Amino acid sequence: MMKEIYQVPTSQSLQGDVIISGAKNAVLPLMAATLLCRGISIINNVPQLDDVNTMAEVLRYLGAKVEHQNSSLTIDTRECDGYQAPYHLVTKMRASIYVLGPLLARLGQASVALPGGCAWGPRPVDLHIAGMQALSAKVELSHGNIHAHAGRLQGADFTFSISSVGATVNLLLASVLADGTTRLFNAAIEPEIDNLVDQLNAMGAQIFGKGTSTLVIEGVTELKAATIDAIPDRIEAGTYLIAGAITQGKVTVKQVQPAHLTALIDSLTATGTLICCEDDSITIDAQQRALQPISIKTGPYPLFATDLQPQWMALCVSLTGVSQVTDTIYPDRFQHVAELCRLGANIRVKGNTACIIGTPNLSGAPVKASDLRAGAALILAGLIASDYTEISDIHHLDRGYQNLIGKFATLGATIKRSHHPVATNQAIAAPLLSLCG
């Protein structure tokens, strides 16, 4: 039996340019929004990722025709009448719940399996359900599914108890076809939300307050298909910028929006790196610079992104000194800590805070990616660890990083994807028996 792994050798300072792909976290809501009308929608700047493929399979199951050529996605919903999103697809990816809002809004009913995705943290769907109920939908949970039905949804005021990107997406998708006015308070203000608002307004929706935490939606009776460009992936860009810092290199990320990465840029500057921002590029120069560890605390946009927390921790591990990483979004998002410690990191976790005593002397070892961003953190640490670091469960990385090997190669890293034999139960039992005998 074989498993795929990444082999990450020690790298020299990374140097060069890397083109950033479209944002996975923007594309998935844009794909779900196409269910709101009958027509042919086009989404440009779409990355080739497993999560995109999974959402495409969900849409096909509902009756849509989906074609992904180069970086353009064409979605034909003219014969799309399905309202059930099944467990075997939804469990692969949490964002599949985004189909709940548009199905309920256009068809008056939806049955969506409770979502899966990364295996960390309690990320309940309470806000999604409460929001649909506020719009006059009847919702019940049974046998692992969310069942919702309504006549035409009714506009209402809804306040998010916490800022939630996912719930904001679903409420936007549901309310654009509701009767009357909907006001969403404490809504998420991430760039991916703005991208969705732009798409919905291009489809004929009436949404006001883009970029603020109060969104006002005047319901319309129908929408039309539209063409939209997905924004650049700020998390991918941030990962490569941190890669430049951790290897004390000079890296330029291109086709990005620097304004989306202000918190990371400020934190990297505080470590002692040089940052230069142009209209659509960011250059980090950490060559021959003694970087200082900086403590960070994650928070809703525009604060430090939780999706960059594991990668930042890898950087802190590499720097001499003490720092802290506090995650206020997902307090138990620390499964990467044990794997970083296998490489020689000194990290202690208490509550939602990790204390890191940096050491520049990491050593390669077999480690496992517990989730998408944890896998990225292990790659970054592997670049500076001695010898080879072998990372398993790399399917997580396929969910969110397009052409990872190729992009790192343009910067001088020689990461390889290979197959590795997995020991069978019998092979493991023999040495155990000899130890016990």
Side-chain angles (χ1 to χ4, degrees), residues 21 31 36 61 77 116 177-178 198 200 219 230 317 330 355 382:
S21 303
M31 293 175 70
L36 286 164
Y61 189 92
T77 58
L177 290 179
D198 286 341
L200 292 172
V317 165
Y330 298 121
C355 180

Side-chain angles (χ1 to χ4, degrees), residues 362-381:
L362 301 182
S363 58
V367 290
K368 181 171 67 174
S370 57
D371 61 73
L372 170 56
R373 308 306 175 184
L378 294 175
I379 285 180
L380 298 182

Side-chain angles (χ1 to χ4, degrees), residues 35 37-38 59 62-64 76-82 103 106-107:
L35 295 171
C37 68
R38 295 186 186 275
L59 297 186
L62 296 170
D76 184 348
T77 58
R78 288 176 295 182
E79 299 179 6
C80 186
D81 290 312
L103 291 178
R106 186 170 70 86
L107 301 177

Side-chain angles (χ1 to χ4, degrees), residues 24 28 49-58 60 85-97 112-119 123 372 395-396 398-400:
K24 168 183 81 79
L28 300 178
L49 298 172
D50 282 359
D51 273 9
V52 173
N53 295 336
T54 297
M55 183 62 89
E57 286 303 307
V58 172
R60 291 187 183 107
Y87 173 79
H88 75 276
L89 292 175
V90 176
T91 191
K92 294 181 180 179
M93 181 184 66
R94 182 173 178 79
S96 301
I97 198 175
V112 180
L114 289 169
C118 288
R123 295 187 284 171
L372 170 56
H395 61 278
H396 291 297
D398 294 338
R399 293 181 48 227

Side-chain angles (χ1 to χ4, degrees), residues 52 54 77 105-106 111 130 151 186 203 211 222 256 258 277 284 296 306 333 343 345 383:
V52 173
T54 297
T77 58
R106 186 170 70 86
S111 180
N186 196 31
M203 295 171 68
E222 66 176 351
V256 298
C277 296
I284 182 169
I296 60 98
T306 181
R333 191 177 190 170
L343 301 177
L383 292 173

